[in-house]
Amino acid sequence: MMTDSPQSQPESTTGGTDTARPLNVAILGAGRIAQTMAKTLTMMAGSPTYSAMVTPYAIASRSQDKADKFAATYHLPHAYGSYEAMLADPAVDLVYIATPHSLHAEQAIACMRAGKPVLVEKAFAANLEQARAVIDESDKTGLYCGEAIWTRYMPSRAVIDRIIDSGRIGAVTGINANLCYPMTHKARLTDPNLAGGALLDVGIYPLTFIDMVMGAQEIDHLATSMQPYPTGVDAQSTTTLYYADTTMATALSSMLCVSDREGMVYGTEGYLVCHNVNNVSAVDIYNTDHARVDHIDMPEQLTGYEYEVAASVQAIRAGKRDTIEMPHADTLRMMALLDQIRDEWGLVFPFEHQD
């Protein structure tokens, strides 16, 4: 597939010329998660629910050959062998950033300076300093900048909120969540130069599960411990958060083993079992006698990524810089927590400033 000339493309919707047509979505990076997004965009374009929202438009890679192969596989009409070439295309309406954590901030800022709204894969950045720089750029440009942590956008979040708000399990006093996968075979996860480790890749999900239940409530203090991988990044860890309202919440993550991936919410009148905190498939409600009193299956989905994309499109069309599901304040709060946990471990990435 030949690289297209930016001058030959139609005008972008982000300039306010035609907000009725689907937004052209480009993917920056051609790894595994980019492949899932490409499948998602194709499925959305063929779905009556989402077809008016997005057009799978382009892939940008550091290699023209890799971009061409990706575009051919996922039927994308445009392939760019450099990120700069994609950013020069005026028809790109939204860029999904699917590169290692350490590159997110630099690339998100470059996209916005080129006039492109961005949806940045989690973790949003490698640290809070980087995250603030990205959101500052969104402030300056007025462009949308969202974090693609899919569980924030999924229907399961509203289901869990409704159950808790209804009082069916009483007052929440404890939360427990875990997510573990054997992943040390993936080079980026063991490389400190790429902000590797379990925390930013899988550990963010149990912590996000807790945060979605607790919201912006103040964390009084935390206790955390980590087992390092030979390269120095975190291989597995556990963190307990102590909230000002006396709630305790524990998160476990690992890239060494398999876990049940459960999210538990404990209340004075019962508890919830949320199956797979990384993509909740069902929620079971138990009473004080440990009898299951309800089972709620989540609705069928395309891949699960469609919710974050749809929310981004709606925000862009409304002229907003973030979404209700993942406002910038929540991104910054989570990045601050991740930094605090790493500070407790003494884990500093090579590219970070050291005092």
Side-chain angles (χ1 to χ4, degrees), residues 1-335:
M1 181 174 293
M2 297 298 291
T3 302
D4 294 285
S5 168
Q7 286 74 25
S8 66
Q9 307 307 324
E11 196 168 5
S12 168
T13 62
T14 54
T17 58
D18 182 11
T19 56
R21 71 166 174 82
L23 271 61
N24 293 327
V25 182
I27 300 171
L28 193 156
R32 181 190 57 82
I33 203 162
Q35 296 169 16
T36 302
M37 179 56 79
K39 294 175 186 176
T40 303
L41 294 173
T42 299
M43 295 174 76
M44 291 179 75
S47 163
T49 303
Y50 301 109
S51 60
M53 289 188 170
V54 297
T55 296
Y57 182 76
I59 177 67
S61 175
R62 291 173 297 181
S63 159
Q64 186 65 52
D65 181 63
K66 188 172 184 178
D68 288 342
K69 290 178 180 177
F70 189 104
T73 300
Y74 298 102
H75 310 292
L76 301 178
H78 307 290
Y80 292 111
S82 73
Y83 303 148
E84 294 78 12
M86 181 271 291
L87 292 180
D89 183 344
V92 172
D93 299 313
L94 173 64
V95 178
Y96 169 69
I97 296 178
T99 51
H101 313 303
S102 57
L103 303 175
H104 288 178
E106 174 186 347
Q107 292 170 342
I109 290 170
C111 287
M112 287 185 283
R113 287 179 178 172
K116 313 299 185 189
V118 289
L119 177 60
V120 185
E121 187 51 53
K122 62 79 196 162
F124 185 76
N127 55 45
L128 180 59
E129 180 183 8
Q130 289 186 356
R132 282 177 173 155
V134 174
I135 291 174
D136 284 348
E137 194 64 32
S138 175
D139 290 341
K140 293 174 187 175
T141 60
L143 291 172
Y144 173 78
C145 176
E147 181 174 2
I149 180 159
W150 63 341
T151 53
R152 295 268 185 177
Y153 304 86
M154 289 177 167
S156 56
R157 180 180 184 180
V159 170
I160 295 166
D161 285 346
R162 283 197 298 270
I163 296 169
I164 294 172
D165 292 345
S166 74
R168 292 186 71 180
I169 64 169
V172 172
T173 62
I175 309 169
N176 192 1
N178 72 82
L179 188 63
C180 306
Y181 296 106
M183 297 187 300
T184 55
H185 60 283
K186 298 181 180 181
R188 70 173 181 84
L189 286 169
T190 61
D191 189 347
N193 293 297
L194 297 179
L199 180 66
L200 297 188
D201 204 80
V202 294
I204 192 171
Y205 284 113
L207 291 168
T208 292
F209 179 85
I210 293 167
D211 188 78
M212 287 191 291
V213 174
M214 297 302 295
Q217 294 190 51
E218 179 186 356
I219 298 174
D220 183 75
H221 64 284
L222 63 80
T224 185
S225 60
M226 176 268 283
Q227 180 179 6
Y229 194 71
T231 59
V233 301
D234 59 298
Q236 54 188 2
S237 68
T238 184
T239 299
T240 301
L241 308 177
Y242 298 82
Y243 286 85
D245 69 352
T246 73
T247 299
M248 288 177 59
T250 300
L252 169 70
S253 64
S254 175
M255 61 180 182
L256 303 180
C257 62
V258 178
S259 72
D260 58 23
R261 308 176 300 176
E262 303 284 55
M264 313 286 288
V265 184
Y266 306 113
T268 54
E269 301 297 329
Y271 56 94
L272 302 182
V273 179
C274 304
H275 301 289
N276 186 8
V277 295
N278 189 38
N279 183 2
V280 176
S281 59
V283 177
D284 288 323
I285 305 175
Y286 291 82
N287 63 18
T288 53
D289 294 323
H290 306 287
R292 191 174 75 175
V293 296
D294 205 351
H295 173 87
I296 304 168
D297 288 313
M298 296 304 111
E300 291 187 10
Q301 58 191 26
L302 302 180
T303 65
Y305 284 28
E306 66 268 25
Y307 305 114
E308 64 192 37
V309 175
S312 298
V313 171
Q314 291 166 350
I316 291 168
R317 286 177 168 171
K320 297 180 179 178
R321 295 187 301 103
D322 57 7
T323 64
I324 295 172
E325 295 87 350
M326 192 57 174
H328 290 164
D330 286 7
T331 289
L332 293 174
R333 183 175 69 251
M334 288 303 299
M335 288 306 312

